Amino acid sequence: MAEPVIIGSERSEVGLPVGVEVLRRGGSALDAVEAAMRRCEDNPDDHYVGTGGLPNARGEVELDASVMTGSDRRFGAVAAMRGYPNPISVARAVMERLPQHCLLVGPGAELFAAENGFARAELLTDDARRIWRGQLTEAGQRAGDSVEGENTAAVAGDRRYREAALDLVRRLAPHEGPWGTINIMALDTSGELCVGVSTSGYPFKYPGRVGDSAIPGAGNWSDLRGGGAACTGRGELSMRGGTARTIVDLLARGSEPADACRLALADTAALPDEFRAELRALALTPDGRHGGAAGQEGSVYAVMTLDSTEPELHPRVAL
Ligand code: ASP
């Protein structure tokens, strides 16, 4: 049996020590992933997950998350869910308490969270609101300026707002610094391999937009016959590429994790996409090998084993 291990994408370092502690106590991969991810979701300085996540074009924080276990391919997810700070736990509850379904969205996900005793909270922090307003003002100025021959001051506020919001959606621009969805995957002493993914999605996205993080096969996949895989970055590409599932299929056919990630990303890189932005992938095998790939140089992922005192950063291969 492989040694337990937990790995995660950039900025998962905040949560991995909590997850490895669960594994040290003999806990399950699912418990480890959930505990580690909750810590990341509760970090208000992280603008891509949970509390503090950047909002949609209208300033509302909408969260996507999923979990999948490799022994039975059970999958639970929520998407475009507002007002609940730990979507990873609601996704797990969908998997365990609503096994006739895999994915709940929007008001249905919120109803289910309320029924299952999850506490509501304000997710839009002052900092995230400031970043959103800054982008909206910038886009608004461009939208106003672009109305040729018209006095920009006379452009109705609502129209200007709509144009600014649409401009943000068109640009889908990530902010500066390490950005993106968090992927965490763990292998436990029983050999179970769980993959968890959580995100506030693309900043300033169109309201109701769901990304790859909640979609099985796109942003998350786990199957003990190959391993687990997850994605960060432009979810529309991994949805069109079936990227996480492709990676696991490659693992099952004998590819090493970094190669499998690179090949799957190369497949999506061939797709026409005028909003192209970076896509990254991460993979773990049932015997504990791991690797990652990214659309650009310098990307890393974090790893902790039972002996680790802190997360160790490993390079991803660049496309
Ligand atoms: N994958 C996420 C999504 O498409 C975004 C990201 O990782 O930045 O929603």
Side-chain angles (χ1 to χ4, degrees):
M1 194 62 71
E3 284 291 306
V5 62
I6 185 163
I7 74 171
S9 55
E10 280 95 342
R11 304 179 342 282
S12 68
E13 300 93 286
V14 171
L16 293 195
V18 184
V20 86
E21 206 38 57
V22 173
L23 295 175
R24 273 191 196 117
R25 293 196 307 266
S28 70
L30 179 58
D31 284 344
V33 165
E34 183 188 9
M37 193 66 90
R38 284 179 68 98
R39 181 60 65 90
C40 298
E41 291 173 340
D42 289 341
N43 174 13
D45 296 330
D46 192 316
H47 292 310
Y48 272 82
V49 287
T51 305
L54 289 173
N56 65 21
R58 297 180 67 176
E60 298 141 340
V61 180
E62 291 185 333
L63 304 177
D64 300 344
S66 64
V67 281
M68 184 164 188
T69 45
S71 60
D72 48 13
R73 281 183 279 160
R74 282 193 305 162
F75 183 87
V78 289
M81 182 176 74
R82 298 183 191 171
Y84 290 90
N86 294 115
I88 195 73
S89 296
V90 186
R92 177 179 181 169
V94 170
M95 183 173 87
E96 293 181 329
R97 300 183 211 165
L98 199 65
Q100 64 272 47
H101 296 318
C102 282
L103 166 62
L104 296 179
V105 305
E110 292 150 26
L111 177 68
F112 176 79
E115 279 176 2
N116 282 274
F118 290 96
R120 283 189 72 86
E122 175 55 70
L123 305 181
L124 185 64
T125 59
D126 290 345
D127 207 24
R129 185 185 286 109
R130 186 184 49 73
I131 296 171
W132 168 68
R133 286 220 173 113
Q135 291 274 349
L136 197 59
T137 310
E138 233 182 72
Q141 276 154 4
R142 266 198 310 278
D145 293 346
S146 70
V147 185
E148 235 175 279
E150 208 169 340
N151 176 356
T152 54
V155 176
D158 185 52
R159 177 168 157 205
R160 190 154 171 187
Y161 164 78
R162 286 171 59 81
E163 283 174 355
L166 281 173
D167 185 49
L168 283 177
V169 173
R170 264 194 294 276
R171 287 185 301 132
L172 291 171
H175 72 109
E176 292 303 311
W179 55 273
T181 297
I182 294 189
N183 310 146
I184 296 179
M185 47 194 94
L187 187 61
D188 66 26
T189 45
S190 77
E192 182 63 283
L193 198 170
C194 175
V195 179
V197 180
S198 185
T199 192
S200 48
Y202 248 87
F204 326 127
K205 61 195 173 186
Y206 198 91
R209 178 267 188 184
V210 171
D212 60 329
S213 306
I215 307 297
N220 182 342
W221 194 252
S222 185
D223 179 347
L224 284 188
R225 293 173 298 181
C231 299
T232 294
R234 181 152 165 71
E236 279 73 8
L237 283 177
S238 50
M239 286 194 270
R240 289 164 66 198
T243 304
R245 170 78 199 247
T246 301
I247 293 168
V248 174
D249 285 349
L250 287 163
L251 294 174
R253 282 189 258 131
S255 290
E256 285 301 321
D259 285 340
C261 291
R262 189 177 47 75
L263 286 168
L265 292 192
D267 176 58
T268 62
L271 295 169
D273 182 25
E274 62 177 302
F275 302 105
R276 183 168 302 284
E278 199 200 350
L279 189 60
R280 281 172 254 153
L282 200 57
L284 175 66
T285 61
D287 60 4
R289 287 168 294 130
H290 44 78
Q296 65 185 39
E297 301 280 348
S299 183
V300 295
Y301 66 97
V303 179
M304 286 190 88
T305 61
L306 299 192
D307 305 326
S308 306
T309 49
E310 58 186 41
E312 191 176 281
L313 297 182
H314 291 239
R316 300 183 197 235
V317 296
L319 258 199

